[in-house]
Amino acid sequence: MLDILFSHSYYYPLDQKQWDNKTPYPPLGTIYAAALMREKGFKVDLFDTNLKDNPYEIEKEIIHKKPKFLVLYDDGFNYLTKMCLTTMREAAFEMMRIGKTHNCTIIVNSSDATDHYSKYLYNGADYIIQGEGENTLLELIETLNQKGATEKIKGIVYSRNEETITNPKREVLKNLDDLPLPAWDLVDIKSYKEIWTRSGKEFTLNLATTRGCPFKCNWCAKPIYGNRYNNHSPEYIVKHIQLLQKNYQVSRFWMCDDIFGLTPGWVQSFNYELKKTNTKLNYYIQSRVDLLLKEDTIEALSESGLEEVWVGAESGSQSILDAMDKGTKVEEIYKATHLLKEKNIRVAFFIQFGYLGETKKDISETIRMIKELIPDDLGVSVSYPLPGTKFYEKVKDDLKFKANWTDSDDLAMMFKGTYNSKYYRKLHRYVHKEYRKSQGLQFLKKIFKSPSKVSAIAVKRIAYLLYYFPSAFIDAQVLKRMEHLNE
């Protein structure tokens, strides 16, 4: 009999946009929790839903292994789980129902369950763990096994006599190095590699060097790790990298922190530790433009193997950045992008349209920034209100009919913005076409300067200009008509 069957509620095949990318990442947060429970003497296993296409397969696993506890522990490092997609919520409910049918105690830790714990309790969860979950899970299961009282366990929500009990929140972990390395052996790495092979991209595994984010962008939800910012030591992370390189022959990593290298001197110490141990890797990160401009950060990142950075540019309009409480300047986006490109580090932008008060001028300024800077990749979305944010409080009265996206490609405007969902979906396509036009023209200029250095990608981007020029022009005309319909 198994003590704990770990699982989670994200299914790449049920999120078509992400499944088409063919770049899935294992559930890092889940296997951190599994590693701790195993270290404490519990017999654990993992039912990894990432590559599954339905929640019903878990029943065979439960029947075979007979777990006492079914723990749905979402990967809090994966931004897709923070979006609280309704498709994944329904899958979680079905897994909980199956678990209850087979007499499992159901424990759930996720962004969605933290925000909507009443829905999860109603659908069969016995306990919801709010926020960072490892220590709460350990205390909860030890208490339940000893038939002790749960009233004093911080960080849980549960029902007693038809009353919902919300215990005080637990303090976040400060010394992350106290955690054992994640239980990677529970993951079928071979299956992940096979999917990455089909994508044509180099196989990549995910690591987290930190937890939390101290910045206060008013649209950003932080239900798991909160506003506190704590980091692993460079020594711990290098040890983790070496383990994965040795066991899985991987040399490229996605550092999935909300913000990589915020602590002063950490990036430099990480670079030093890599050199000291002769550890070589390629990796990519998320960061803020203002942080990248500090001291010799870009130099140290380049030396340590950084190949790409995703920055939360969000907008080319300073008024929108200020309204978001972003704390960055448009000129910092320009400066950081130029410096990164000088070091041959790829730059990718997260862009957000539809924020409250957005004007046609704000949209134009953002498109102009994209066309001038020509990032190496681009992620475009619309503002998405999530519980616990100031932004959500401003628009919550509009969320009567729909409060969450179905999947990550939904792009629905769930509040009354300047324009409607149809407009922003068309804008999404138009911006990508303008971006591809700019890329193609950039490659064309490079070919004229250095004809001997023509790449297959360059030829492809230039050829697509024949499509993007007329198509973007048509989209622009359609958008003008749609603007008038919204006036």
Side-chain angles (χ1 to χ4, degrees):
M1 182 175 176
L2 191 67
D3 292 320
I4 308 166
L5 179 61
F6 279 93
S7 191
H8 57 99
S9 60
Y10 188 75
Y11 292 73
Y12 278 94
L14 299 184
D15 192 345
Q16 195 62 49
K17 175 184 175 182
Q18 304 304 326
W19 188 236
D20 289 345
N21 288 340
K22 298 183 177 62
T23 55
Y25 293 101
L28 181 62
T30 314
I31 58 176
Y32 257 114
L36 176 66
M37 297 307 291
R38 186 166 63 184
E39 182 183 70
K40 298 301 181 179
F42 293 95
K43 186 177 180 182
V44 306
D45 208 342
L46 171 68
F47 180 78
D48 185 3
T49 64
N50 269 343
L51 310 184
K52 310 288 185 184
D53 60 9
N54 71 80
Y56 307 105
E57 293 182 47
I58 197 171
E59 186 157 26
K60 290 184 291 185
E61 196 86 353
I62 291 173
I63 291 172
H64 175 63
K65 294 179 177 174
K66 298 180 175 58
K68 182 176 181 180
F69 298 96
L70 173 61
V71 178
L72 300 188
Y73 198 106
D74 274 5
D75 180 10
F77 301 110
N78 187 341
Y79 78 95
L80 295 166
T81 69
K82 300 176 190 176
M83 297 169 75
C84 303
L85 306 170
T86 57
T87 297
M88 308 310 166
R89 180 187 296 165
E90 293 301 322
F93 290 168
E94 187 59 36
M95 294 166 75
M96 288 156 44
R97 184 195 66 77
I98 292 169
K100 293 301 287 183
T101 300
H102 296 281
N103 301 314
C104 296
T105 297
I106 310 296
I107 302 171
V108 184
N109 175 240
S110 69
S111 297
D112 196 42
T114 293
D115 290 339
H116 303 285
Y117 56 81
S118 60
K119 290 184 172 124
Y120 281 78
L121 292 173
Y122 178 80
N123 281 277
D126 294 295
Y127 299 93
I128 306 299
I129 294 175
Q130 294 193 301
E132 188 177 46
E134 289 96 343
N135 285 339
T136 303
L137 178 65
L138 175 61
E139 184 180 353
L140 175 60
I141 287 184
E142 286 180 339
T143 299
L144 293 174
N145 278 344
Q146 296 165 10
K147 301 190 184 308
T150 58
E151 286 80 4
K152 293 183 180 180
I153 300 176
K154 290 183 177 180
I156 64 171
V157 181
Y158 56 100
S159 294
R160 283 289 183 271
N161 302 319
E162 299 185 358
E163 179 186 0
T164 298
I165 310 296
T166 304
N167 287 0
K169 292 185 178 180
R170 183 179 294 269
E171 301 80 7
V172 296
L173 279 167
K174 292 182 180 178
N175 186 4
L176 300 186
D177 285 4
D178 287 344
L179 291 170
L181 291 173
W184 287 100
D185 58 293
L186 299 180
V187 178
D188 182 4
I189 297 293
K190 182 181 178 183
S191 293
Y192 282 88
K193 278 189 175 181
E194 289 172 353
I195 295 170
W196 275 82
T197 299
R198 296 203 295 271
S199 77
K201 298 175 183 176
E202 183 181 356
F203 178 57
T204 305
L205 283 177
N206 44 330
L207 293 178
T209 72
T210 63
R211 294 184 175 191
C213 171
F215 295 96
K216 295 186 169 57
C217 305
N218 60 38
W219 48 267
C220 183
K222 305 167 187 175
I224 301 298
Y225 301 118
N227 279 95
R228 293 294 298 272
Y229 185 86
N230 296 297
N231 53 260
H232 286 289
S233 66
E235 292 79 10
Y236 179 101
I237 295 302
V238 171
K239 180 182 176 183
H240 195 173
I241 290 167
Q242 290 174 332
L243 171 79
L244 295 175
Q245 288 182 333
K246 177 183 177 182
N247 291 348
Y248 306 113
Q249 296 74 55
V250 58
S251 60
R252 186 170 185 262
F253 297 91
W254 161 229
M255 304 299 192
C256 53
D257 315 59
D258 287 337
I259 298 175
F260 182 83
L262 171 59
T263 302
W266 194 94
V267 170
Q268 291 78 1
S269 296
F270 177 58
N271 185 34
Y272 172 78
E273 189 66 22
L274 289 171
K275 290 179 178 178
K276 187 179 79 171
T277 58
N278 197 29
T279 304
K280 301 183 186 305
L281 74 154
N282 295 316
Y283 67 100
Y284 66 112
I285 65 172
Q286 294 179 141
S287 190
R288 287 170 56 97
V289 289
D290 52 347
L291 294 178
L292 291 166
L293 295 174
K294 290 187 175 181
E295 300 171 340
D296 62 339
T297 296
I298 291 178
E299 181 72 28
L301 288 168
S302 175
E303 287 185 8
S304 62
L306 181 68
E307 65 177 35
E308 181 175 270
V309 53
W310 279 85
V311 297
E314 312 305 350
S315 178
S317 165
Q318 191 60 52
S319 63
I320 292 296
L321 294 179
D322 293 343
M324 290 176 169
D325 297 326
K326 181 71 182 178
T328 55
K329 302 293 183 184
V330 173
E331 54 263 33
E332 291 173 327
I333 301 173
Y334 276 76
K335 186 175 181 181
T337 299
H338 291 313
L339 290 174
L340 288 163
K341 286 189 174 186
E342 285 175 9
K343 289 292 183 181
N344 294 316
I345 296 172
R346 287 168 51 88
V347 188
F349 288 174
F350 288 117
I351 295 293
Q352 185 178 156
F353 289 111
Y355 194 81
L356 287 171
E358 179 181 69
T359 65
K360 184 179 176 181
K361 179 174 178 286
D362 297 322
I363 293 172
S364 296
E365 288 177 348
T366 300
I367 296 172
R368 184 174 69 245
M369 179 183 74
I370 293 168
K371 293 173 69 173
E372 288 177 354
L373 292 178
I374 316 177
D376 296 282
D377 207 344
L378 189 67
V380 179
S381 187
V382 295
S383 299
Y384 184 45
L386 287 171
T389 65
K390 290 182 181 178
F391 177 43
Y392 178 89
E393 292 302 313
K394 291 179 180 179
V395 302
K396 64 182 180 182
D397 290 341
D398 291 343
L399 309 179
K400 296 173 183 176
F401 301 106
K402 184 169 182 173
N404 293 97
W405 285 345
T406 303
D407 56 45
S408 64
D409 200 29
D410 193 324
L411 296 180
M413 286 288 289
M414 294 182 296
F415 58 96
K416 185 172 177 52
T418 304
Y419 302 111
N420 61 25
S421 296
K422 287 184 178 179
Y423 176 88
Y424 283 110
R425 288 189 179 113
K426 175 61 72 174
L427 178 64
H428 178 273
R429 291 191 288 272
Y430 170 69
V431 169
H432 275 283
K433 290 172 184 177
E434 285 293 321
Y435 164 58
R436 292 302 182 192
K437 271 174 52 182
S438 299
Q439 271 193 327
L441 291 171
Q442 184 183 54
F443 279 122
L444 195 58
K445 290 176 183 177
K446 288 180 179 178
I447 284 178
F448 281 122
K449 288 182 180 179
S450 305
S452 62
K453 296 181 179 179
V454 179
S455 67
I457 292 177
V459 172
K460 185 178 179 181
R461 291 282 183 255
I462 293 168
Y464 277 151
L465 288 173
L466 295 173
Y467 164 72
Y468 286 124
F469 264 101
S471 183
F473 176 79
I474 293 170
D475 280 355
Q477 304 313 306
V478 172
L479 283 168
K480 285 181 182 178
R481 290 198 297 270
M482 294 177 79
E483 287 168 10
H484 295 310
L485 292 173
N486 281 271
E487 289 176 352

